[in-house]
């Protein structure tokens, strides 16, 4: 039989699709063609496969060789198909067992000398193979650690093409070579920072706990040195630990981004892009291979935008859709990739260009029009999606130099957050929501969940005055439910609504 087939995986976002790699020989002038909607890097696989086979003492058949990647309608990107193309081609010529290669998924890029190079996205690719029912997958040795994170599938790491060929019955000498490791950064657990290190910011610490308990977005404003960044970087440490499935989701995105994943990390991720970041850096994309941006890498964790007013208006407005939907869609010519993006947003900004407006003991030199213009750099629709807006003042010298540590540690705060989330989960059981921030406002205004009229009176007045939009009204209700969960109350009262209204817009009842 002159036709052989094996399997590879094409990735669109974090979704893997099994691709059947067919190789067929015909009695015509020797040639080597790849069809089935390959991109440029795949078209170059012809030369890589030819040289890798020659330098591994494996002879490709001297006939017309056609490799088809099926389904042909699915775009294929990257060099991760090299190994499957080489294996199918060798099996079509009889050098390898056709039955053996047909039962195996092959992933990896070939070097001209026959070495196997690691590729990004192996973790979601192996997941796709396991879901499709395959029992064996061969990956480059540099991807072994992340591939073994997937249960219920046999992972065979290989350093060279000759090693793979021997597994499939070839009679060649195995070429010895050190494994090629992934060139991307190593995905390491972030250092946990303790809330106890925060001095003199009790209100801000409590707001951070409220944000963690309900999954609310947070805007911190205040002069430089007030502790905005210090607070924001401690949010991941008080969030509930990721479950195994959630940790695998996060690791899959890290793998797609080109990071070397060695282990699962249960701490929610923290992404903090620089304010000069472009829209593509936040959203994701790429000219040849679509990669996740900072928004997707913050999935199940925290996206922290320091100096938020310095980001471009277009980049900030790109956040609006993923904040609502929990996903981001990257559209390129002939390709649409969907990445998960369910994160908590924290933004920090100065009150004015010089940063001293309203700061005790400091003089602001900004004209009033510059202060107003600076405040409007965050668009109204984006601010409307932020649940908590908090002004953070500088700590006095007496409190800063005090040896007393805060009584609220990250461990204690996490215990409060977990307990509040358990109450919310019990209330929303049987619905698609788990956190108060995810619940539609229309549901909170229904009779069975409606807050008593006297308790919501300050909120109704703010809506009537135009101080709040209806979306803002609903966000205050969500905050009030989170306050009730933290306090162990069955339903928000006037006190919870008043505190929630203050956290949302700074209004008091």
């Amino acid at each position: 039989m002159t036709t052989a087939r094996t399997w590879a995986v094409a990735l669109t976002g974090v979704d893997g699709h099994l691709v059947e790699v067919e190789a067929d020989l015909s009695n015509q002038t020797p040639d080597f063609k790849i069809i089935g909607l390959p991109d440029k890097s795949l078209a170059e696989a012809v030369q890589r496969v030819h040289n890798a086979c020659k330098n591994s003492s494996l002879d490709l058949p001297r006939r017309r060789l056609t490799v088809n990647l099926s389904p042909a309608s699915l775009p294929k990107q990257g060099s991760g198909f090299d190994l499957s193309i080489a294996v199918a081609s060798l099996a079509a010529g009889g050098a390898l067992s056709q039955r053996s290669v047909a039962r195996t998924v092959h992933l990896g890029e070939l070097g001209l000398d026959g070495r196997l190079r690691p590729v990004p996205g192996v973790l979601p690719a192996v997941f796709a193979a396991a879901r499709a029912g395959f029992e064996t997958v061969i990956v480059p040795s540099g991807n072994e650690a992340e591939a073994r994170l997937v249960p219920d599938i046999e992972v065979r790491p290989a350093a060279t093409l000759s090693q793979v060929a021997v597994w499939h019955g070839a009679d060649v000498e195995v070429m010895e070579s050190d494994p090629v490791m992934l060139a991307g950064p190593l995905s390491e657990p972030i250092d946990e920072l303790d809330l106890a290190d925060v001095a003199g910011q009790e209100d801000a610490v409590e707001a951070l706990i409220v944000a963690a308990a309900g999954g609310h977005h947070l805007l911190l404003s205040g002069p430089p040195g007030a502790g905005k960044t210090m607070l924001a970087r401690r949010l991941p440490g008080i969030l509930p630990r990721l479950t195994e499935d959630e940790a695998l989701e996060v690791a899959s995105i890290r793998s797609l981004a080109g990071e070397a994943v060695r282990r699962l990390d249960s701490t929610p991720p923290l992404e903090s892009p620089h304010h000069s970041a472009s829209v593509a850096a936040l959203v994701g994309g790429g000219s040849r291979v679509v990669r996740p941006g900072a928004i997707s890498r913050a999935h199940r964790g925290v996206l922290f935008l320091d100096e938020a007013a310095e980001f471009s208006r277009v980049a900030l407005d790109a956040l609006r859709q993923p904040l609502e939907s929990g996903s981001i869609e990257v559209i390129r010519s002939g390709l649409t990739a969907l990445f998960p993006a369910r994160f908590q947003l924290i933004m920090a900004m100065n009150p004015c260009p010089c940063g001293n407006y309203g700061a005790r003991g400091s003089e602001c030199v900004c004209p009033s029009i510059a202060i107003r213009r600076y405040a409007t750099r965050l668009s109204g629709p984006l601010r409307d999606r932020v649940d908590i807006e908090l002004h953070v003042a500088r700590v006095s010298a007496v409190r800063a130099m005090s040896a007393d540590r805060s009584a609220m540690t990250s461990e204690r705060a996490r215990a409060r957050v977990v307990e509040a989330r358990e109450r919310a989960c019990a209330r929303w059981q049987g619905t698609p929501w788990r956190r108060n921030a995810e619940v539609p406002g229309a549901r909170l205004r229904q009779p069975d969940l409606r807050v008593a009229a006297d308790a919501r009176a300050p909120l109704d007045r703010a809506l009537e005055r135009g101080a709040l939009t209806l979306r803002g009204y609903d966000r205050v209700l969500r905050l009030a439910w989170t306050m009730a969960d933290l306090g162990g109350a069955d339903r928000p009262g006037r006190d919870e609504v008043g505190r929630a209204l203050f956290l949302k817009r700074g209004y008091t009842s």
Side-chain angles (χ1 to χ4, degrees):
M1 185 175 180
T2 58
T3 301
R5 58 179 51 85
T6 189
W7 298 87
V9 179
L11 294 170
T12 54
V14 292
D15 298 322
H17 307 276
L18 269 295
V19 173
E20 188 176 20
V21 182
E22 302 173 290
D24 182 73
L25 293 176
S26 59
N27 293 320
Q28 297 180 24
T29 304
D31 195 8
F32 193 162
K33 283 192 176 181
I34 299 175
I35 59 176
L37 208 60
D39 71 345
K40 185 176 180 181
S41 61
L42 251 176
E44 294 171 348
V46 171
Q47 196 61 49
R48 289 195 298 271
V49 169
H50 185 275
N51 285 60
C53 289
K54 180 180 179 182
N55 291 319
S56 300
S57 302
L58 294 163
D59 295 326
L60 285 171
R62 297 180 178 276
R63 295 157 65 183
R64 183 180 182 87
L65 179 60
T66 304
V67 176
N68 180 42
L69 309 177
S70 179
S73 59
L74 180 70
K76 292 91 179 173
Q77 297 179 324
S79 56
F81 291 84
D82 287 4
L83 180 58
S84 58
I85 292 172
V87 166
S89 301
L90 291 168
L96 308 182
S97 166
Q98 295 186 7
R99 183 177 180 184
S100 176
V101 302
R103 297 196 302 257
T104 308
V105 177
H106 297 86
L107 307 170
E109 176 186 335
L110 286 174
L112 297 181
D113 57 358
R115 290 184 300 167
L116 270 181
R117 299 181 180 276
V119 291
V122 160
L123 183 56
V126 176
F127 257 119
R131 284 196 301 267
F134 284 90
E135 297 179 353
T136 306
V137 60
I138 295 178
V139 302
S141 296
N143 292 124
E144 178 184 4
E146 63 180 288
R148 291 197 184 279
L149 295 175
V150 181
D152 304 324
I153 189 168
E154 180 187 359
V155 175
R156 289 188 176 183
T160 62
L161 174 60
S162 59
Q163 187 178 353
V164 177
V166 168
W167 285 340
H168 291 309
D171 185 17
V172 294
E173 183 179 351
V174 175
M175 183 178 73
E176 297 296 333
S177 175
D178 293 331
V180 181
M181 305 310 293
L182 195 64
L186 182 65
S187 178
E188 291 285 5
I190 61 173
D191 294 331
E192 284 198 28
L193 305 171
D194 204 295
L195 273 181
D197 299 330
V198 180
Q201 296 285 11
E202 288 80 5
D203 290 342
V205 168
E206 188 63 27
L208 204 66
I209 294 173
V210 172
H216 304 288
H217 307 306
L218 175 65
L219 171 63
L220 299 172
S221 64
K228 304 184 295 293
T229 302
M230 187 179 191
L231 286 162
R233 291 191 175 278
R234 279 155 178 77
L235 179 57
I238 67 174
L239 291 174
R241 296 304 190 200
L242 299 178
T243 65
E244 185 176 353
D245 288 343
E246 291 170 343
L248 282 168
E249 276 186 78
V250 172
S252 294
I253 295 172
R254 297 287 177 186
S255 175
L256 281 169
E259 295 185 21
V261 180
R262 299 281 187 267
R263 57 186 289 275
L264 294 182
D265 185 14
S266 62
T267 303
L270 172 67
E271 283 293 319
S272 181
H274 191 261
H275 59 75
S276 62
S278 65
V279 176
L282 288 176
V283 172
S287 58
R288 293 176 63 178
V289 179
V290 177
R291 294 278 183 253
I295 290 174
S296 299
R297 295 197 302 272
H299 179 60
R300 302 291 183 188
V302 177
L303 178 65
F304 174 42
L305 303 184
D306 202 2
E307 303 294 345
E310 302 297 333
F311 281 79
S312 73
R313 186 72 171 262
V314 177
L316 289 174
D317 284 342
L319 297 171
R320 288 159 54 180
Q321 185 257 335
L323 285 175
E324 291 292 327
S325 65
S327 61
I328 185 72
E329 194 173 44
V330 180
I331 301 176
R332 295 291 182 267
S333 178
L335 174 67
T336 299
L338 185 68
F339 294 105
R342 194 165 296 282
F343 57 88
Q344 275 189 256
L345 174 66
I346 297 188
M347 295 185 289
M349 62 180 291
N350 296 330
C352 67
C354 78
N356 291 324
Y357 180 70
R360 183 176 61 250
S362 299
E363 180 184 359
C364 176
V365 297
C366 303
S368 57
I369 190 172
I371 296 173
R372 289 196 298 270
R373 187 182 297 119
Y374 195 78
T376 58
R377 290 199 179 184
L378 303 186
S379 66
L382 177 60
R383 292 185 83 125
D384 223 19
R385 287 166 168 80
V386 175
D387 300 348
I388 301 174
E389 297 186 24
L390 186 71
H391 179 76
V392 183
R394 286 177 180 150
V395 180
S396 65
V398 174
R399 304 192 70 178
M401 296 305 294
S402 173
D404 296 334
R405 287 170 59 89
S406 171
M408 183 56 68
T409 64
S410 290
E411 186 176 357
R412 287 186 58 194
R414 191 188 310 121
R416 289 185 61 194
V417 169
V418 169
E419 188 176 350
R421 287 206 180 187
E422 286 174 351
R423 290 195 184 96
C425 281
R427 178 168 58 253
W428 306 122
Q429 191 173 10
T431 72
W433 317 303
R434 290 296 175 266
R435 303 180 301 175
N436 292 327
E438 301 169 355
V439 182
R443 179 70 184 92
L444 295 177
R445 286 182 264 113
Q446 291 180 3
D448 60 324
L449 291 174
R450 189 175 297 161
V451 178
D454 62 328
R456 70 172 191 272
L459 185 57
D460 292 340
R461 288 197 298 270
L463 183 63
E464 290 167 2
R465 293 197 309 265
L468 281 178
T469 65
L470 185 58
R471 180 186 280 131
Y473 183 99
D474 292 338
R475 292 195 178 280
V476 174
L477 286 178
R478 296 184 187 111
L479 273 173
W481 276 103
T482 300
M483 298 278 193
D485 289 335
L486 283 168
D490 293 333
R491 191 176 292 264
R494 189 182 182 91
D495 190 39
E496 285 80 13
V497 171
R499 284 188 292 151
L501 190 55
F502 175 76
L503 285 177
K504 171 58 184 168
R505 298 294 289 177
Y507 295 106
T508 59
S509 56

